Amino acid sequence: MASLVLSAVGTAIGGPLGGTIGGLIGSALDRTLFAPTVSAEGPRLADLAVQASSYGQPIPRLWGTGRIAGNLIWSTGLIETKTTTKQGGKGGGAKTTTTTYSYHVDCAIALCRGPIAGVRRIWADGKLFRDADGVQRHAEALRVYPGSEDQMPDPAMQAALGAAGCPAHRGLAYVVFERLELADFGNRIPNFTFEVEAQASATVASVIEELCSLAGVPFLDAARTGRIDLAGYAVARPASIRQVLEPLRSAFFFDAAEIEGALAFFPADGTPVARVPAGELGAHPFGSEPPPLELRRTAEAELPRQITVQHLDPARDYQVNAQRARRSTSPSTADLSVDLPLVLEASEAKAIAERMVWLQWLGRDTVTCQLPIAYLHVEPGDKLVVLDGEGRARTLRVTRRELRLPGSLLVEAVTDGAAALSRIASAAPAPVPPQEVLLPGVTTAHLLDLPLLREEDDGPHLLLAAAGASAGWRGAVLERSADGGATWERLADLTEAAVLGTALDVLPPASPHVWDRASSLTVSLLDPSDTLESVSEAAVLSGANACLVGGEVIQFRDAELVAPGTWRLATLLRGRRGTGDAIGAHGPGERFVLLTGSAGNARLALPLAERGALRQWRAVSLGTRAEDAPTISLAWQARALIPLAPVHARGERNGAGDLAIRWIRRTRWPAPWSDHVDAPLGEAGEAYQIDIMAGSSVRRTIATTQPQALYPAADQIADFGTVQPAVTCRIHQLSERVGRGAALEVTL
């Protein structure tokens, strides 16, 4: 007869227990249900560990919950995204063009026969890709199809294959990944494994009933194993139903027998069906004298000393675990290993190993006897209590029954080992380290158009400070749009996080010329693991602990941790690097950016042609969609090149009414005052323009190459009609690259 092959249902595990199911079942059912399958083996522990991508792959069948690799059934192939980064040029130094490529794919992976209740966790190359709450990364969308008979085709597959060429895969549970980013997987589809939950809770009885129904074999009493819960069992290769049942029989200790043309399943701890007194043993025809009992005992050296049970441990994310049971005193040296491709807690597997060892030793006696025809109701799988001549009871489990004429039964049995089934055991847990899906999250980015902070940064540039609040943040990509967001240009890769935060209070005004010892500032850092440190006043004067608060650059001497991630800064220098105009402009919730000692601040060289142009910018976290990144609008002014406003202006008049204007220039360079005579100029040449103001209008502009100018009385009369008792003027230092610097407005 042809064997029954389950397309996804499929080492015989019964060996260490002695005997097989087939030995208890009549030949007709044996041929139907347990006929050999060509080139087939029973389920293996590693059957569902590696993802496949091949035609004709069997569809797994799952009961309970298990971890399944699945089979790749559709893919778009690698989709390439080309990104060109341009830096420098046009005043920003040598122009550099860098082209990078990234890849993503849309794909579908078949899981098992449906319907299923759902997919819990997903692993990619062994790392958690999606947690039980549905938090995932690296994919724009993930759709789970449970394998119902009315499910519709996936829209992404349908768009690629066409409406006529896209099946709905009804009856097949599968998942579809849309825009699966491959950068973290070596630009290939990773080996996915899925924690899949079948449609309903399973018992050994429900599996037996399903298998017998598939084979069209009548069965009885399968519900007697209904109290045995099945946490998880998956079969991923073609196999006879016998091969599918044997791991269950080995783990849960039941047998099967044919009763009047139907299968009956018997737990090993069943109740005896008859009690046989010594006088009814050895029933025989007249003239023969068989012994009451024939006893054969397996030699101890042939019994196992140790049995190792290998199983799938849910505490180890369904990876293989092993539990051992050993007989302490035994002449045997045989160690056996049993593979059970079942989901078992470690203590369950330990108890199974203990029971297996004890069953081998308790059931090592084989008994043959002849009984009167009155015991015709005794079937294979039943238990008998047999009394010897001294009244001692022996419980036997019938393995074979044969009718002998003229009216006796030949019964073969083994010593019952049900007492071993009550053994329990505990095993030390061996869980895998917990994994967490660390999402990149949104990048917090600050574009800083600041005065020159370092001498080596002289040139047109923009500073970028970026970081992520999520533990999964691994960097970002800075992009810029010159057409209102229609197209974007990749400018820089950010791999390190800056030290960012938020001010929790408002800085009061203070002098930029002396230490501010009265004020303090409390800041909350974006990443609580970041730290700030106190330094000496000499270190502050040498440039340490510079930070940006709102629009003011300050320096701090003291940093005190007042709460996790929260610091109080005190002993301050205010209005540094020409930001004195921001001292009185503070408000609540201002940005805090550490400027020195932070590796995450990037310098972006820009061409001077970009000065004043409104552009859109965004910092896209690696592993996220660019469309999800917030957009920043900024018109860059090249503030690092703008000369600082002069200071200490004064005016002197002569007898004719001429006004001599003098001032002291400042340098935008952070270079030290090394010669004690003058600060570095920092420009190609020294030049100034002085606007003579009449309200908000300019009456005259005076140019000079020295920090002084003369406004003659004649010019005053020409501008105002009379010599002015007070003149308001704006004094600018000039830059060859950007023109006028910041103005000093003064009335003299």
mmCIF file of all heavy atoms in Angstrom, residues 676-697:
data_model
loop_
_atom_site.group_PDB
_atom_site.id
_atom_site.type_symbol
_atom_site.label_atom_id
_atom_site.label_comp_id
_atom_site.label_asym_id
_atom_site.label_seq_id
_atom_site.Cartn_x
_atom_site.Cartn_y
_atom_site.Cartn_z
ATOM 1 N N HIS A 676 51.574 90.524 23.965
ATOM 2 C CA HIS A 676 51.167 91.540 24.928
ATOM 3 C C HIS A 676 51.089 92.931 24.314
ATOM 4 O O HIS A 676 51.140 93.926 25.020
ATOM 5 C CB HIS A 676 52.116 91.553 26.139
ATOM 6 C CG HIS A 676 52.172 90.235 26.851
ATOM 7 N ND1 HIS A 676 51.177 89.804 27.705
ATOM 8 C CD2 HIS A 676 53.102 89.241 26.815
ATOM 9 C CE1 HIS A 676 51.494 88.598 28.181
ATOM 10 N NE2 HIS A 676 52.658 88.234 27.655
ATOM 11 N N VAL A 677 51.029 93.018 22.995
ATOM 12 C CA VAL A 677 50.917 94.303 22.299
ATOM 13 C C VAL A 677 49.588 94.394 21.580
ATOM 14 O O VAL A 677 48.831 95.342 21.773
ATOM 15 C CB VAL A 677 52.088 94.501 21.307
ATOM 16 C CG1 VAL A 677 51.899 95.790 20.504
ATOM 17 C CG2 VAL A 677 53.413 94.508 22.051
ATOM 18 N N ASP A 678 49.275 93.396 20.756
ATOM 19 C CA ASP A 678 48.035 93.432 20.001
ATOM 20 C C ASP A 678 47.582 92.010 19.699
ATOM 21 O O ASP A 678 48.405 91.086 19.569
ATOM 22 C CB ASP A 678 48.234 94.196 18.688
ATOM 23 C CG ASP A 678 46.957 94.896 18.262
ATOM 24 O OD1 ASP A 678 45.908 94.612 18.881
ATOM 25 O OD2 ASP A 678 47.017 95.712 17.336
ATOM 26 N N ALA A 679 46.283 91.860 19.582
ATOM 27 C CA ALA A 679 45.718 90.563 19.226
ATOM 28 C C ALA A 679 45.892 90.320 17.739
ATOM 29 O O ALA A 679 45.987 91.276 16.951
ATOM 30 C CB ALA A 679 44.234 90.518 19.596
ATOM 31 N N PRO A 680 45.939 89.054 17.296
ATOM 32 C CA PRO A 680 46.072 88.778 15.853
ATOM 33 C C PRO A 680 44.935 89.418 15.078
ATOM 34 O O PRO A 680 43.796 89.493 15.535
ATOM 35 C CB PRO A 680 46.001 87.255 15.785
ATOM 36 C CG PRO A 680 46.356 86.776 17.156
ATOM 37 C CD PRO A 680 45.865 87.826 18.101
ATOM 38 N N LEU A 681 45.256 89.896 13.882
ATOM 39 C CA LEU A 681 44.238 90.559 13.075
ATOM 40 C C LEU A 681 43.188 89.567 12.578
ATOM 41 O O LEU A 681 41.997 89.838 12.638
ATOM 42 C CB LEU A 681 44.906 91.279 11.898
ATOM 43 C CG LEU A 681 43.961 92.010 10.940
ATOM 44 C CD1 LEU A 681 43.236 93.130 11.665
ATOM 45 C CD2 LEU A 681 44.738 92.549 9.738
ATOM 46 N N GLY A 682 43.647 88.444 12.055
ATOM 47 C CA GLY A 682 42.722 87.429 11.579
ATOM 48 C C GLY A 682 42.101 87.732 10.241
ATOM 49 O O GLY A 682 41.193 87.021 9.797
ATOM 50 N N GLU A 683 42.528 88.817 9.560
ATOM 51 C CA GLU A 683 42.000 89.180 8.249
ATOM 52 C C GLU A 683 43.158 89.434 7.293
ATOM 53 O O GLU A 683 44.310 89.604 7.700
ATOM 54 C CB GLU A 683 41.128 90.444 8.354
ATOM 55 C CG GLU A 683 40.035 90.386 9.404
ATOM 56 C CD GLU A 683 38.994 89.313 9.112
ATOM 57 O OE1 GLU A 683 38.883 88.897 7.938
ATOM 58 O OE2 GLU A 683 38.287 88.881 10.055
ATOM 59 N N ALA A 684 42.839 89.482 6.000
ATOM 60 C CA ALA A 684 43.884 89.738 5.001
ATOM 61 C C ALA A 684 44.457 91.141 5.145
ATOM 62 O O ALA A 684 45.630 91.392 4.852
ATOM 63 C CB ALA A 684 43.318 89.536 3.595
ATOM 64 N N GLY A 685 43.654 92.072 5.587
ATOM 65 C CA GLY A 685 44.117 93.428 5.826
ATOM 66 C C GLY A 685 43.173 94.119 6.785
ATOM 67 O O GLY A 685 42.033 93.695 6.995
ATOM 68 N N GLU A 686 43.674 95.257 7.383
ATOM 69 C CA GLU A 686 42.862 95.972 8.360
ATOM 70 C C GLU A 686 42.087 97.075 7.662
ATOM 71 O O GLU A 686 42.681 97.912 6.966
ATOM 72 C CB GLU A 686 43.736 96.537 9.466
ATOM 73 C CG GLU A 686 42.938 97.146 10.604
ATOM 74 C CD GLU A 686 43.807 97.547 11.792
ATOM 75 O OE1 GLU A 686 45.059 97.438 11.683
ATOM 76 O OE2 GLU A 686 43.245 97.971 12.821
ATOM 77 N N ALA A 687 40.757 97.061 7.833
ATOM 78 C CA ALA A 687 39.920 98.075 7.205
ATOM 79 C C ALA A 687 38.631 98.211 7.995
ATOM 80 O O ALA A 687 38.152 97.236 8.611
ATOM 81 C CB ALA A 687 39.622 97.705 5.754
ATOM 82 N N TYR A 688 38.071 99.474 7.970
ATOM 83 C CA TYR A 688 36.856 99.752 8.724
ATOM 84 C C TYR A 688 35.949 100.651 7.903
ATOM 85 O O TYR A 688 36.389 101.377 6.998
ATOM 86 C CB TYR A 688 37.179 100.449 10.058
ATOM 87 C CG TYR A 688 38.161 99.701 10.915
ATOM 88 C CD1 TYR A 688 39.539 99.942 10.787
ATOM 89 C CD2 TYR A 688 37.729 98.765 11.853
ATOM 90 C CE1 TYR A 688 40.455 99.262 11.572
ATOM 91 C CE2 TYR A 688 38.647 98.087 12.643
ATOM 92 C CZ TYR A 688 40.000 98.325 12.500
ATOM 93 O OH TYR A 688 40.902 97.649 13.274
ATOM 94 N N GLN A 689 34.673 100.615 8.243
ATOM 95 C CA GLN A 689 33.693 101.564 7.734
ATOM 96 C C GLN A 689 32.875 102.076 8.906
ATOM 97 O O GLN A 689 32.442 101.296 9.760
ATOM 98 C CB GLN A 689 32.771 100.920 6.693
ATOM 99 C CG GLN A 689 33.456 100.648 5.354
ATOM 100 C CD GLN A 689 32.504 100.065 4.323
ATOM 101 O OE1 GLN A 689 31.382 99.679 4.643
ATOM 102 N NE2 GLN A 689 32.967 100.016 3.077
ATOM 103 N N ILE A 690 32.692 103.422 8.919
ATOM 104 C CA ILE A 690 31.938 104.050 9.993
ATOM 105 C C ILE A 690 30.738 104.742 9.358
ATOM 106 O O ILE A 690 30.887 105.615 8.482
ATOM 107 C CB ILE A 690 32.791 105.082 10.759
ATOM 108 C CG1 ILE A 690 34.065 104.417 11.314
ATOM 109 C CG2 ILE A 690 31.975 105.698 11.883
ATOM 110 C CD1 ILE A 690 35.249 104.561 10.389
ATOM 111 N N ASP A 691 29.533 104.317 9.749
ATOM 112 C CA ASP A 691 28.304 104.942 9.271
ATOM 113 C C ASP A 691 27.900 106.051 10.235
ATOM 114 O O ASP A 691 27.806 105.828 11.454
ATOM 115 C CB ASP A 691 27.169 103.920 9.179
ATOM 116 C CG ASP A 691 27.376 102.926 8.055
ATOM 117 O OD1 ASP A 691 28.105 103.255 7.100
ATOM 118 O OD2 ASP A 691 26.813 101.813 8.138
ATOM 119 N N ILE A 692 27.686 107.241 9.699
ATOM 120 C CA ILE A 692 27.149 108.355 10.474
ATOM 121 C C ILE A 692 25.631 108.274 10.363
ATOM 122 O O ILE A 692 25.066 108.335 9.258
ATOM 123 C CB ILE A 692 27.670 109.705 9.972
ATOM 124 C CG1 ILE A 692 29.216 109.698 9.953
ATOM 125 C CG2 ILE A 692 27.142 110.839 10.830
ATOM 126 C CD1 ILE A 692 29.871 109.450 11.296
ATOM 127 N N MET A 693 24.948 108.142 11.494
ATOM 128 C CA MET A 693 23.533 107.838 11.513
ATOM 129 C C MET A 693 22.691 109.082 11.810
ATOM 130 O O MET A 693 23.078 109.944 12.611
ATOM 131 C CB MET A 693 23.222 106.779 12.566
ATOM 132 C CG MET A 693 24.058 105.518 12.458
ATOM 133 S SD MET A 693 23.834 104.661 10.874
ATOM 134 C CE MET A 693 22.080 104.280 10.950
ATOM 135 N N ALA A 694 21.537 109.113 11.150
ATOM 136 C CA ALA A 694 20.495 110.087 11.480
ATOM 137 C C ALA A 694 19.242 109.271 11.730
ATOM 138 O O ALA A 694 18.507 108.930 10.797
ATOM 139 C CB ALA A 694 20.280 111.084 10.345
ATOM 140 N N GLY A 695 19.051 108.911 12.977
ATOM 141 C CA GLY A 695 17.983 107.961 13.273
ATOM 142 C C GLY A 695 18.355 106.600 12.738
ATOM 143 O O GLY A 695 19.416 106.059 13.049
ATOM 144 N N SER A 696 17.521 106.077 11.854
ATOM 145 C CA SER A 696 17.826 104.762 11.270
ATOM 146 C C SER A 696 18.450 104.873 9.891
ATOM 147 O O SER A 696 18.767 103.851 9.272
ATOM 148 C CB SER A 696 16.535 103.932 11.176
ATOM 149 O OG SER A 696 15.578 104.610 10.361
ATOM 150 N N SER A 697 18.648 106.099 9.405
ATOM 151 C CA SER A 697 19.228 106.276 8.075
ATOM 152 C C SER A 697 20.698 106.662 8.185
ATOM 153 O O SER A 697 21.147 107.239 9.178
ATOM 154 C CB SER A 697 18.468 107.341 7.289
ATOM 155 O OG SER A 697 18.566 108.594 7.941
#
